[in-house]
Amino acid sequence: NDFCKLFMSSGSLFDISQIDKESPYIIVKPMGFMRELDKIFYPRVGIDSRVTEYGLVTLETAGILFEDYQFFMDVLVSVDLALMLRGNQICLEGKMLEDDVYYYIPDVRTQYPELHCDPTSLHLLLNVDCPLSHLQVLFARAFMSRKKCSYLVLEHSTPVNITRFGTKLSDGATDVTFQMRYLGDTVEFHFPDEANEEVCTDIIEACNEVMAKDDWMNSKYAFAVMPPDSINPNIRNRCNRHVLLSLKDCDSRDDSSNHFVIWKKVLKEFKELEGRELKEELMSISDVCHIAEKLEKLSPACLENVAKKLQNDVYEKLTNKEHDVCLCKDESRDKRPLHLLLDWEGELKNTKEQPSGKELAKLFMELAKEMKNDYEKLESAARRLDPSGYY
């Protein structure tokens, strides 16, 4: 085992059992193996069109692509790039497939991803920087193993980052559909119709099961939603998005609010794994220095507005309105941003509040809407402060 770990770390071999303990395979020629995989990720003309259209691979197609097809398909399943299913677990264009073995490989689809925000979704926020495209397979496996009557819904022109599901409720008669949309450090779960409490519970528990896997290295995560009063499908920032459990009860005013209320109700009982919650962190000195460097690139007018925003932010939080709030004004341009942030942080002590990266990101994004020429610079600073707050 130590031998395999050593040579796997250098890329000399690929020990599949390091990922799937049940796998018997060790690949001693990784580059050759990767070249063979091109046959399924970039299939030649004439191969079953369902591969690139739906991510669906039959045993017959696998046999055409690979000489030892069982080995290749087993490895793809072990590394969470493929999901093995039976025909009664797949609804293709409204019809259940014949009883046989099929493989669902979402990443081989050729449709463009869908990246817009869906405000009525539940959002799974992750503090990871690397792409996790296998999340579609991981979630599908966890959800479908919990919900035995569930199935994939495969439809024409589905974006590559979306997987749709159907499931029967416990009454055995009612079908409910929903979709997951993978967006990097965010995963959305959306009901096209009315959200269902039973299915919402299964989604939350499936997410917790996925996050409990050993290979996540204790990464943090949180469930969040966009409050009903800030619904805007074209919104670029998520300044108004919060962890659900921190929100107060609100009246349901429309269908969007109903989604919000149901998700919140479920999460009161089924929340993140203990010790793994993604919580708002206080600003560090490295954050302050990094943001100051970005602010140096702003136009003089924009920097002046940043100073006013920060000054107003402190004044509004003061209980003693007679206290004079004065952030630096006389510093040279290259020093002013850093001193401005340090003064803001110091003045906040008079309000008994800690400097919050999320709050500062919100201020920057509010200003970005007014200062169009400096939008990208302000958004970049906001991303640094609140990386899980943006698409």
Side-chain angles (χ1 to χ4, degrees), residues 8-270:
M8 186 171 173
S9 65
S10 64
S12 301
L13 57 80
F14 193 5
D15 180 6
I16 307 301
S17 70
Q18 301 293 329
I19 300 172
D20 178 5
K21 295 178 181 178
E22 303 298 322
S23 176
Y25 299 118
I26 296 177
I27 300 170
V28 295
K29 294 182 179 180
M31 293 306 297
F33 172 76
M34 298 298 290
R35 283 193 292 270
E36 283 293 300
L37 285 185
D38 284 348
K39 294 178 180 179
I40 196 166
F41 284 93
Y42 307 99
R44 65 179 184 273
V45 177
I47 293 297
D48 187 351
S49 62
R50 291 181 295 181
V51 175
T52 54
E53 180 67 31
Y54 305 105
L56 189 65
V57 180
T58 63
L59 287 176
E60 180 182 359
T61 301
I64 296 172
L65 293 170
F66 306 113
E67 184 176 344
D68 187 359
Y69 70 89
Q70 197 61 61
F71 158 70
F72 281 94
M73 301 314 293
D74 285 350
V75 170
L76 287 173
V77 170
S78 291
V79 299
D80 301 320
L81 289 176
L83 180 64
M84 186 172 70
L85 300 167
R86 304 295 301 189
N88 63 351
Q89 294 176 294
I90 302 173
C91 180
L92 180 64
E93 298 293 355
K95 296 181 179 179
M96 304 304 289
L97 296 182
E98 297 178 359
D99 187 32
D100 202 347
V101 174
Y102 300 87
Y103 294 90
Y104 176 58
I105 312 178
D107 287 349
V108 303
R109 294 174 294 175
T110 54
Q111 290 78 13
Y112 288 111
E114 186 177 274
L115 303 177
H116 69 76
C117 163
D118 198 320
T120 60
S121 301
L122 173 76
H123 305 270
L124 173 65
L125 307 180
L126 307 165
N127 68 333
V128 291
D129 298 324
C130 57
L132 301 167
S133 56
H134 65 305
L135 266 175
Q136 291 185 75
V137 171
L138 284 172
F139 175 80
R141 181 180 294 134
F143 180 82
M144 297 178 77
S145 64
R146 300 186 65 85
K147 203 77 170 170
K148 301 299 182 184
C149 55
S150 59
Y151 51 89
L152 291 182
V153 178
L154 304 184
E155 298 174 322
H156 176 72
S157 299
T158 299
V160 66
N161 63 328
I162 287 179
T163 295
R164 297 191 174 103
F165 299 87
T167 184
K168 290 186 179 298
L169 300 183
S170 53
D171 61 16
T174 309
D175 280 80
V176 174
T177 59
F178 71 93
Q179 72 176 27
M180 72 171 294
R181 181 189 287 117
Y182 168 71
L183 296 164
D185 62 355
T186 301
V187 181
E188 289 188 354
F189 297 96
H190 174 69
F191 289 86
D193 301 312
E194 202 62 32
N196 177 270
E197 186 174 335
E198 178 184 326
V199 180
C200 289
T201 299
D202 288 314
I203 289 174
I204 298 296
E205 293 187 326
C207 287
N208 284 341
E209 183 178 328
V210 169
M211 295 305 298
K213 286 175 67 71
D214 294 337
D215 55 354
W216 284 91
M217 297 180 293
N218 292 322
S219 57
K220 308 293 185 181
Y221 71 104
F223 297 107
V225 75
M226 188 176 293
D229 59 0
S230 60
I231 297 299
N232 180 355
N234 298 315
I235 195 166
R236 289 195 64 182
N237 63 323
R238 295 204 301 248
C239 295
N240 292 321
R241 191 170 294 176
H242 307 272
V243 175
L244 281 172
L245 296 180
S246 67
L247 293 175
K248 297 179 181 179
D249 291 332
C250 67
D251 295 329
S252 178
R253 294 191 297 269
D254 51 34
D255 290 340
S256 299
S257 298
N258 290 335
H259 285 78
F260 174 81
V261 171
I262 289 175
W263 282 122
K264 182 180 178 184
K265 180 180 178 181
V266 171
L267 277 176
K268 285 183 177 179
E269 298 182 29
F270 302 91

